[in-house]
Amino acid sequence: MQNIAEFRIIGRVGKIAEHDKVTKVNVAANYNRQDNGEWVTDTHWNEVTLFGKLIERAAKAQKGDLVHITGRVRQNSYDTAEGKRYTVELIADGFAVLAKGSEDRD
């Protein structure tokens, strides 16, 4: 049996950054928690990396759009003068716009 690390995010687009052969999409996801008996909402930002045909789909998305993104988790490490550094990347294999954001969003 193959071991896997997957993710699913349903959230709002914050920023889309297009690079040479990759696009990075920042997506806000909200989580509720109790704080002193009161429910509060925390917003967590997730940077997702898109390749290939998913870049074309992301090009149709705009800030504020509600999106559904699925993919795999990739962990990397590299050495620096200060020591070993670790990163976690979210690599998309699915991207869909669920609802357009309102036109007056900044």
Side-chain angles (χ1 to χ4, degrees):
M1 174 183 245
Q2 181 179 359
N3 298 321
I4 58 173
E6 296 179 320
F7 73 90
R8 176 178 63 196
I9 300 171
I10 297 174
R12 298 268 176 198
V13 173
K15 181 173 86 170
I16 300 174
E18 298 175 7
H19 302 284
D20 186 28
K21 294 183 179 182
V22 65
T23 293
K24 304 271 187 170
V25 178
N26 286 316
V27 180
N30 298 322
Y31 300 91
N32 296 322
R33 65 177 173 85
Q34 277 194 326
D35 184 13
N36 295 324
E38 298 290 321
W39 284 99
V40 295
T41 301
D42 289 333
T43 301
H44 296 266
W45 287 95
N46 303 276
E47 183 179 70
V48 182
T49 303
L50 288 80
F51 296 99
K53 294 191 182 269
L54 295 182
I55 293 174
E56 296 171 18
R57 290 188 193 169
K60 297 175 185 173
Q62 297 177 5
K63 182 178 180 179
D65 288 355
L66 183 66
V67 295
H68 178 228
I69 306 174
T70 58
R72 60 188 168 91
V73 179
R74 180 170 68 185
Q75 296 179 339
N76 292 313
S77 64
Y78 59 94
D79 295 316
T80 67
E82 294 82 27
K84 193 171 221 60
R85 300 280 186 214
Y86 298 91
T87 63
V88 175
E89 289 183 277
L90 302 176
I91 310 296
D93 60 20
F95 184 95
V97 175
L98 300 178
K100 298 301 278 180
S102 65
E103 294 297 321
D104 59 349
R105 288 185 189 242
D106 292 323

